[in-house]
Amino acid sequence: MTTPRRSSSRSPWVWRGFVALCLVVVAAAALQLVGLVPKLSLFGTDTVDRSQPALLKSLRDLSQYHAASGDYQVVIDIEKDVRFVPDVLAGQRTLFVSNGSVNAYVDFGGLADGAMTVSEERKTVDVTLPKPQLDKPNLDHEHSYVFAQERGLFDRLASVVQTSDQQPFYVAAEQKIADAAKESGLSDKAAENTRKMLEGMFGALGYEVHFVDAPQP
């Protein structure tokens, strides 16, 4: 004869407690998404850096004279809209502040024969200077950041499980800083500083310098 199984009186209370806990967690997450409560961390996190040290791959000689440098700041304003969907539901607009610098240099490595001619009296020297070039912008990642961001509800929910990709903002900032460097007179400043450097160097040797414009390609 089998004994009937007694149902545990605790089971309904356990399930009710579990459901209540889930509701509390979901409610807290929803409030964090809309910004009504600060973000809470139930578990502490530790960061361990196991990266290997940098390895030297190659060494090379430089023949460039870095004559001037410019510091720039740009604010990137990018808005992404979803067609036929209200902004409150989908879409985002981001203001990204980026700082960076651009170096202007003169490359003496490609000087052609006859680019420097000394007079017979050994008193003057004619120098044909290459035109200054602009380096690729060097972005300051430490001082580049998202200043403000507006996102629709769906984008806020997606950000919980997806990491924001800031690469497009850095690409746009690099291009705008490069354009600003071309229009800011940085190349002219580099040419002026290069001439002053050569005048001082040759002047210390007793020469007077005459600069000749490089031929157009």
Side-chain angles (χ1 to χ4, degrees), residues 49-83:
D49 186 357
R50 294 190 174 90
S51 305
Q52 298 297 319
L55 299 177
L56 176 64
K57 296 181 65 176
S58 65
L59 293 174
R60 62 182 185 276
D61 295 329
L62 297 179
S63 58
Q64 300 174 354
Y65 173 64
H66 287 252
S69 179
D71 296 323
Y72 303 88
Q73 183 181 82
V74 62
V75 178
I76 304 299
D77 185 351
I78 296 180
E79 182 175 0
K80 294 183 179 180
D81 294 326
V82 180
R83 294 180 180 178

Side-chain angles (χ1 to χ4, degrees), residues 86-106:
D87 293 341
V88 69
L89 294 179
Q92 63 180 3
R93 180 181 179 184
T94 304
L95 296 180
F96 184 82
V97 178
S98 182
N99 292 272
S101 61
V102 177
N103 292 326
Y105 65 93
V106 175

Side-chain angles (χ1 to χ4, degrees), residues 12-132:
W13 294 103
V14 172
W15 281 108
R16 291 175 184 176
F18 177 74
V19 172
L21 178 60
C22 291
L23 292 176
V24 170
V25 172
V26 172
L31 291 175
Q32 290 180 16
L33 286 176
V34 298
L36 295 181
V37 297
K39 291 186 177 180
L40 302 177
S41 177
L42 299 178
F43 304 97
T45 59
D46 296 325
T47 301
V48 179
D49 186 357
R50 294 190 174 90
S51 305
Q52 298 297 319
L55 299 177
L56 176 64
K57 296 181 65 176
S58 65
L59 293 174
R60 62 182 185 276
D61 295 329
L62 297 179
S63 58
Q64 300 174 354
Y65 173 64
H66 287 252
S69 179
D71 296 323
Y72 303 88
Q73 183 181 82
V74 62
V75 178
I76 304 299
D77 185 351
I78 296 180
E79 182 175 0
K80 294 183 179 180
D81 294 326
V82 180
R83 294 180 180 178
F84 313 116
V85 179
D87 293 341
V88 69
L89 294 179
Q92 63 180 3
R93 180 181 179 184
T94 304
L95 296 180
F96 184 82
V97 178
S98 182
N99 292 272
S101 61
V102 177
N103 292 326
Y105 65 93
V106 175
D107 188 2
F108 292 107
L111 288 178
D113 294 338
M116 186 177 66
T117 305
V118 180
S119 65
E120 295 181 358
E121 298 81 7
R122 300 283 180 176
K123 293 184 178 180
T124 63
V125 55
D126 294 337
V127 178
T128 302
L129 281 181
K131 289 188 176 181

Side-chain angles (χ1 to χ4, degrees), residues 200-212:
M201 183 180 67
F202 284 107
L205 299 175
Y207 289 92
E208 180 181 350
V209 183
H210 296 160
F211 294 102
V212 181

Side-chain angles (χ1 to χ4, degrees), residues 168-179:
F169 301 105
Y170 284 105
V171 172
E174 182 177 294
Q175 183 59 53
K176 288 189 176 296
I177 289 178
D179 294 339

